[in-house]
Amino acid sequence: MKLVRSINSRLIPNSGCVLTIGKFDAVHIGHQKILKQLVEVGKKMGLPAVVMTFAPNPEEYFRKQDAPPRLTTISSQYFALRDQGVSLMLAIPFNKMLARTSAENFIQTYLIDGLKAKYISIGDDFKFGKGRKGDYQILKQAGLNNGFEVGRFETINVGHSRVSSTRICESLSAGRFDEVDVLLGRKFAMVGRVMHGDKRGREWGFPTANIAINRKIPMTGVFAVTVRGLNDDHVHAQIKGVANLGMRPTVDGMKTLLEVHLFDFNQRIYGNRICVEFVAKIRDEKKFESFEALKSQIFIDCERAKEILDAGN
C-alpha cells in the first residue's frame, strides 16, 4: 500500500480508482466492513481501492484544543488500512484553503480531476465542502453528471449503540478493553518510533522503549501490553511488557509519553518503529511521594502485567 499527501502525487493511479472518504480514525469493525466492500468493488472494476482522509481531521482544525481525542496517527492508520487490502491512502492536509473549498469545487478538483474516481462510497452522515454543504445527494447528482457511481453505507451497531470512534474512546477511558477488542476487531494499538529518554528507567533496572505522543489521547494509566515490529526478524513476534501512558507526574509531568518496559528483552531498538497493543489496564497514573515509592510500584505493576499476559496464553 502507498501513502501520499498530495492530490498531485505521481503515485496516484492514472486509470482511476474506487474511493471512500472519511476520518477512519479507529479503522473499527464498521470501517472494516466498508473497506471490504470497497476492495471487492475495485476488484470487479479492475481498479485500486483508495481511502481519502485528512491530517489534521476537520474537527482538529476547527476546534483546536477542544477537539476530541484521536485514536490513531497517520502511521497506525496506514498499517490498519493496509491490513484491509487498501491500495492507496491519501492523507490530505486540512488547511485554510481546503476549509474554504466549496463542495462543487472539491468534487471537481479532488474526485474527478485528481483521482478520476469511478465509484465513491461515503457514510450516511458524511458532509464535505465549505460550510459542510456537500452531502450524499450532491455527490450522487455529480456522479450522474460526470459518469461515476456513488454508494452509501450505514453505521453498524454492537449491542444497542452504534460503533464509532467516540464510543471506543469512552470504552478505553473506562478500561473496558474486552469491549474495545470487539469494536475494533483487534487490540487497540499505538505505533511510533522509539526515541531516547532520560534513561531513568534503565538506572532503576526497568529500561523502557519511549514513544512521544503528540496528540490528545483517550486514556492514561499503566497497562499490560504486547509489542511487535521490533525489527525485521521479529515483525510478527510479540514481546510482553508493561507500559505507562501519560504525563509521568512523579518525574516531570511536562509531556505525554508512552514508556514500555519489555520483559526478557535487552536489545537496543532506538529508531525502530514498534506497535504497542494494549491488553488490560492495571491502574491509573498517579504521583508518588518519592522515586523509591515509584520504583516499588513499578515492580508490582510488572508482576501484575505478567499475570495478566500469562493468563491470556
Side-chain angles (χ1 to χ4, degrees):
M1 189 180 95
K2 301 182 180 72
L3 167 63
V4 299
R5 298 176 184 267
S6 170
I7 196 66
N8 298 314
S9 171
R10 290 178 295 177
L11 296 177
I12 290 178
N14 293 321
S15 58
C17 67
V18 297
L19 173 71
T20 188
I21 312 169
K23 288 192 298 184
F24 288 91
D25 182 21
V27 193
H28 52 60
I29 58 173
H31 294 147
Q32 292 165 31
K33 183 177 180 180
I34 297 161
L35 296 169
K36 180 180 179 181
Q37 186 261 351
L38 186 74
V39 170
E40 289 174 351
V41 171
K43 289 178 179 178
K44 291 177 182 177
M45 299 179 70
L47 295 171
V50 175
V51 171
M52 178 191 288
T53 188
F54 306 96
N57 67 54
E59 275 188 304
E60 291 171 325
Y61 176 81
F62 287 111
R63 296 176 59 182
K64 309 298 182 186
Q65 297 301 318
D66 291 331
R70 184 150 50 94
L71 293 167
T72 52
T73 61
I74 292 296
S75 292
S76 49
Q77 270 186 303
Y78 171 89
F79 289 113
L81 292 172
R82 184 193 63 179
D83 290 345
Q84 298 302 314
V86 172
S87 300
L88 180 80
M89 176 182 175
L90 173 59
I92 296 176
F94 196 93
N95 51 29
K96 184 182 294 185
M97 184 181 71
L98 189 57
R100 292 177 175 175
T101 301
S102 68
E104 292 76 13
N105 285 341
F106 179 84
I107 292 170
Q108 187 66 49
T109 302
Y110 289 90
L111 310 187
I112 298 174
D113 296 339
L115 290 168
K116 302 177 178 63
K118 308 301 182 186
Y119 174 84
I120 302 173
S121 180
I122 62 171
D124 52 6
D125 58 352
F126 180 70
K127 305 287 186 181
F128 63 97
K130 183 179 179 180
R132 290 170 51 86
K133 293 183 178 180
D135 58 13
Y136 171 77
Q137 293 301 331
I138 288 177
L139 193 58
K140 183 76 172 178
Q141 185 60 51
L144 293 173
N145 295 339
N146 294 277
F148 60 83
E149 297 180 53
V150 179
R152 179 167 57 180
F153 53 82
E154 298 181 357
T155 56
I156 66 170
N157 292 335
V158 169
H160 299 291
S161 302
R162 67 191 293 265
V163 178
S164 68
S165 298
T166 299
R167 181 177 173 186
I168 293 168
C169 283
E170 292 171 351
S171 298
L172 286 169
S173 179
R176 299 193 297 267
F177 281 86
D178 288 344
E179 181 178 352
V180 172
D181 294 350
V182 171
L183 299 176
L184 287 176
R186 64 184 186 282
K187 297 292 183 187
F188 174 71
M190 289 185 171
V191 176
R193 289 195 181 277
V194 178
M195 67 177 195
H196 288 276
D198 55 21
K199 307 295 192 298
R200 194 182 303 272
R202 186 173 297 277
E203 294 173 3
W204 294 348
F206 301 100
T208 57
N210 304 316
I211 298 174
I213 305 297
N214 300 313
R215 67 185 193 277
K216 185 185 290 188
I217 53 176
M219 61 181 185
T220 60
V222 178
F223 305 87
V225 300
T226 58
V227 178
R228 56 187 173 87
L230 295 171
N231 54 48
D232 291 340
D233 297 327
H234 296 86
V235 171
H236 300 294
Q238 286 190 331
I239 310 298
K240 298 174 181 178
V242 62
N244 185 90
L245 176 62
M247 300 288 288
R248 308 192 307 169
T250 308
V251 178
D252 53 27
M254 299 297 293
K255 58 187 176 182
T256 304
L257 197 67
L258 174 60
E259 300 174 293
V260 186
H261 172 61
L262 300 168
F263 304 144
D264 303 317
F265 186 86
N266 57 10
Q267 297 181 30
R268 294 175 67 86
I269 55 173
Y270 296 120
N272 286 29
R273 179 182 280 116
I274 62 174
C275 177
V276 182
E277 297 179 336
F278 292 78
V279 177
K281 185 171 184 177
I282 296 174
R283 63 173 175 85
D284 291 333
E285 191 178 37
K286 61 176 288 187
K287 184 173 183 177
F288 291 86
E289 295 180 357
S290 67
F291 285 143
E292 287 301 318
L294 174 58
K295 286 168 60 177
S296 298
Q297 184 61 54
I298 291 173
F299 179 81
I300 295 170
D301 294 339
C302 288
E303 294 303 305
R304 179 58 183 145
K306 289 176 182 177
E307 290 175 5
I308 292 169
L309 295 169
D310 289 345
N313 287 342

